[in-house]
Amino acid sequence: MKKTVDISLPVGPMHPCFKEPCRIKCETRGEYVLSAEVELGYVKKGIERIMRGRPWQEVMFLAERVCGICSVIHNFVFIEAVENISGIVPTERAAFLRVIVNELDRMQSHLLANYSYCYTIEHETLAMYLLNLRETVMDQLELITGARVTCAYIVPGGVRSDLSTDDAEKLKSALDHIDAELSRFVKIFETGPLIALRSKEIGILTREAAIESHAVGPTARASGIDNDQRSTHPTYRALGFSPIIRQEGDNYARIMVRFEEVFQSTGLIRSALAAMKEGPIRGGGVIKAGSISYRGEAPRGELLYELKTDDYGRILEIAIQTPSIPNIQVCSHAMLIDAQSAADITSIFISSDPCIACTER
Amino acid sequence: MNRYLYEKDLRQMKLIILESRRHDAVVQELAATLGIKRQQLRKILIESSDMMFLENLPARSDAARETGDETERLLGIPLLVQAFHLLSREEGARVREQYLQRIQNGITQEVAISKAQIELLEMIRS
Amino acid sequence: MSLLQSLKNAVRSRSIHVAYVNVGSCNGCDIEILACLSPRYDIEQYGIYVHNNPREADVLLITGAFSPQWEDKLKPLWDKIPHPKVAVAIGNCPISGCVFNRPETLVDPPVSKHIPIAAEIPGCPPRPTEIISTILSLAPIIFKDYEETKK
């Protein structure tokens, strides 16, 4: 990048606000941000290179470890892509259980994202409330799958373990608790005057810039783009899903979209629990040769797996396009520009829910 | 010239990004439309873009492919202007007009395309 | 033991500053460290304070399997931490590379090649309680009578 200004302000790789290492290099005039670029490579592991030529049983666990925050959706999309190649259909109960686990994962990811944002704008009380509520969601994930983070719950043809009636009751009461608590926290966020000062009209992402960079997920939906892969997924359509869209495109809208999606997720889990019938949870099947490019909706947006298998169930070619890639790119090249103060750099960056581990794989 | 602290040579890591399957497909597609080797286009991209931008090339190209008319897509202008940010919109429009002018003057399509390719490369390298 | 040393021991046992650094993990261990902050585990009741500043830290938590960008950065970062200091490896990645240590990979584990590691917590990822109990049991051993044993 050509030097046009007097001050070059690097943020990172170690910064108190960032969960993960990355480096934003801002060119500023005083505190006004003129341009920004992101330097990566701190968590590059080469997962796609490791995956190539390995059997799907190994790639399944590697896919889960692309990202620790949204590990369920990577498992979900990879297994469904492999199933689509081989013509395996999951049993009905398993399809609903997948949705339940996926929505729980989305809830914890959104709560974590909003925690990070509140922590960044120094509203630590609300941040701690949200982090504590996230633990309730993690408990439910552990109740169903047996692990907190990397659970490998979804397998071709079904899921690993069943949900008993007792556990379903526990899950329902936890959902009621989450709804009641979260509506209180959302009210704090909506009505707090200082929060509004630090969030509204800051980091505006226009619809045109979002389309040009292919922004996805809550970042795009806060700018008025109707883009949610769940509306094409058969199980979600059976549950009557419709995406949440806001028009403002600022930090406030992005956080509010995530809050509203948590409420939506609890609703989806309730209707999945109601629609679920007793039945087998494992179908089984054989992985065949073929190639596919399959999309699913991760907490951060559209996730794409492009893969090619052979008759022995090995993965010959694979490419993963994670939602954080377009979101961080549009954040650093469109949202950060024209930020009025250097203090807003971190809050704008965190509001797009960056996940560097996803981005670099 | 003022330098950043701990600045490191990033070319190797940028190359690793471009070697990924989807990135490679996009780079090969554009290199074919420009009539140059993949390595040359990689070199141009590594010099002009930062790492985050390179990671996002396939998604941006998906978005850019839906724009532009038949002529622009033939010359790869939506990719160059919108997805790769190698040219400005005015430069893209100018190349398109010159190409249409040549076709009207009775020059065959192949010759017109190769002339447009040379113009595009000159603009990118300048 | 001198009076000054016993005073230092008492203060240090209730004030442990923690910095964490991700050298190429999948985020799983990082969010488990973050979960320690939540009121359920309440890491601050033990006097442990997490802030990501190496210059004030006593304990450095390391997650991840060491990616190439850190080769020239982790050692300077470790040198910036004032004595007495200790590094704890969290998860399987800094110990062995976990699933990432395969042919074609870019990572270069273990982290103990680059800086001295005092304790390791295996697990993919370990639970927040394990992280807290490790810090609490390790810190007194390292920091007790630091000035007198140094001589």
Side-chain angles (χ1 to χ4, degrees), chain A residues 175-228:
Chain A
L175 290 179
D176 292 337
H177 171 73
I178 291 163
D179 268 351
E181 289 279 281
L182 193 66
S183 48
R184 197 159 64 86
F185 303 152
V186 173
K187 212 173 147 201
I188 299 176
F189 188 84
E190 266 181 320
T191 52
L194 283 172
I195 294 173
L197 270 179
R198 283 218 58 180
S199 311
K200 282 182 184 165
E201 311 272 302
I202 286 176
I204 289 178
L205 174 65
T206 56
R207 196 184 144 85
E208 292 70 40
I211 289 174
E212 190 180 301
S213 298
H214 198 269
V216 288
T219 310
R221 289 199 284 277
S223 296
I225 296 173
D226 182 0
N227 175 2
D228 198 320

Side-chain angles (χ1 to χ4, degrees), chain B residues 2 12 14-15 17 21 27 30 32 47 50 60 64 68 71 81-82 85 87 93 95 99 109 122:
Chain B
N2 54 346
Q12 182 64 39
K14 284 181 175 177
L15 186 62
I17 291 172
R21 181 180 146 93
V27 170
L30 189 66
E47 278 165 8
D50 74 332
R60 289 183 73 94
T71 325
V81 172
Q82 202 184 320
H85 274 198
L87 296 179
V95 171
Y99 168 80
Q109 204 184 13
E122 267 175 19

Side-chain angles (χ1 to χ4, degrees), chain B residues 13 24 26 30-31 46-47 57-58 70 96 105 109 111 117:
Chain B
M13 277 177 287
D24 200 45
V26 167
L30 189 66
I46 285 173
E47 278 165 8
L57 281 181
E70 196 76 3
R96 175 174 177 269
N105 292 350
Q109 204 184 13
V111 180
Q117 280 173 349

Side-chain angles (χ1 to χ4, degrees), chain A residues 232-284:
Chain A
T232 54
H233 191 276
T235 322
Y236 280 100
R237 268 169 54 189
L239 293 172
F241 171 83
S242 69
I244 288 165
I245 293 160
R246 283 179 88 98
Q247 303 296 336
E248 300 102 309
D250 52 2
N251 282 359
Y252 180 79
R254 283 188 281 279
I255 302 301
M256 284 309 290
V257 164
R258 289 199 193 98
F259 273 132
E260 282 165 28
E261 285 193 6
V262 175
F263 288 120
Q264 188 188 36
S265 295
T266 57
L268 280 171
I269 293 172
R270 280 204 194 91
S271 44
L273 283 172
M276 228 161 52
K277 295 187 200 79
E278 286 295 318
I281 54 158
R282 295 285 282 261

